[in-house]
Amino acid sequence: MRGIYIGRFQPYHLGHQAVLEEIAREVDEIVIVIGSAQESHGPENPFTSGERMEMIYAALGKGELRKRCIVTTLQDINRNSLWVSHLQSMVPCFDLVYSNNPLVIRLFSEAGVMVKKPPLYQRDVYSGSAIRALMREGGDWEKLVPPAVAGFIQEINGVERLCQVSKSDSASSADSAMHSSKETDF
Ligand code: NAD
């Protein structure tokens, strides 16, 4: 039996990991689909699909769970009614989907695909938006992601990137004037 678990994973956190461990108790193989693969360098989607893939592999480690997971990426399309067929054409075959995202549940259910809703793990704490907010505010975000993911985000200066792409040019005008000899604004 093969299940899929789709998410943006911006970033991959301990709520995602708890869901994955739950899914692993029910199916033999899991296809982890990194959605919105085209997105990066934005306040809601700071990390590239490749970086998100590295986070997931780092969190999986080298044990039994890793051997049972296939990690792949999927770009969005601007027609929700065609999204399930788009996904089916791009990922390995699967028997059921795990999601708590209402749109994802709706689209798969309408397409006649079995959907299971995994239990929520402190959704207010373990959520991508809450973790990105902590990163921007200098809060304690590291404890909300697997240690290997925290290490990877630090390695790529992910927090600095998120803070920079979350600024508006008007808010940073004094800053950019000071650094105009060194930096180019795009
Ligand atoms: P996400 O990373 O926010 O969450 C991934 C999954 O984990 C979701 O099911 C979420 O409910 C669950 N989750 C998160 N925290 C949890 C916690 N603490 N406890 C339990 N479960 C938790 O990703 P997402 O936004 O749900 O990803 C959906 C993807 O599907 C997006 O990339 C979206 O763009 C894509 N999509 C695309 C289209 C289209 O292209 N037309 C249509 C539908 C969906």
Side-chain angles (χ1 to χ4, degrees):
M1 181 94 113
R2 189 186 273 162
I4 72 160
Y5 182 41
I6 175 143
R8 284 185 302 121
F9 307 119
Q10 292 279 12
Y12 185 83
H13 56 65
L14 288 170
H16 295 136
Q17 183 79 4
V19 169
L20 196 67
E21 285 166 9
E22 182 72 25
I23 298 173
R25 282 191 269 277
E26 297 191 1
V27 297
D28 308 304
E29 275 192 317
I30 306 159
V31 182
I32 303 171
V33 182
I34 299 172
S36 307
Q38 78 287 355
E39 298 283 350
S40 73
H41 294 80
E44 309 299 322
N45 293 290
F47 305 111
T48 68
S49 53
E51 288 164 346
R52 289 177 269 159
M53 190 180 276
E54 293 214 46
M55 287 177 204
I56 293 170
Y57 279 131
L60 289 176
K62 293 188 176 6
E64 181 59 27
L65 186 59
R66 164 73 186 85
K67 291 186 198 133
R68 293 166 53 202
C69 292
I70 299 166
V71 186
T72 187
T73 62
L74 186 75
Q75 297 202 8
D76 291 333
I77 57 166
N78 64 2
R79 284 177 74 181
N80 283 338
S81 59
L82 298 183
W83 181 67
V84 170
S85 332
H86 166 62
L87 179 142
Q88 285 168 327
S89 75
M90 301 294 280
V91 313
C93 292
F94 55 89
D95 303 292
L96 77 167
V97 177
Y98 290 86
S99 181
N100 278 309
N101 177 313
L103 174 62
V104 171
I105 293 169
R106 181 78 206 178
L107 295 177
F108 277 113
S109 303
E110 285 188 10
V113 178
M114 194 207 305
V115 183
K116 278 194 159 185
K117 294 201 256 177
L120 291 172
Y121 297 92
Q122 298 177 63
R123 188 69 174 102
D124 48 337
V125 179
Y126 295 110
S127 92
S129 58
I131 293 169
R132 292 191 302 277
L134 283 174
M135 286 175 163
R136 280 191 293 267
E137 292 155 8
D140 191 4
W141 59 271
E142 287 98 330
K143 64 172 193 235
L144 304 179
V145 303
V149 171
F152 177 75
I153 291 172
Q154 277 151 0
E155 212 176 282
I156 61 166
N157 291 324
V159 174
E160 188 191 326
R161 180 197 296 168
L162 173 63
C163 292
Q164 188 161 15
V165 300
S166 302
K167 283 182 192 166
S168 82
D169 54 359
S170 55
S172 63
S173 56
D175 208 37
S176 58
M178 281 174 63
H179 298 290
S180 57
S181 59
K182 284 192 278 179
E183 291 178 338
T184 308
D185 277 344
F186 294 97

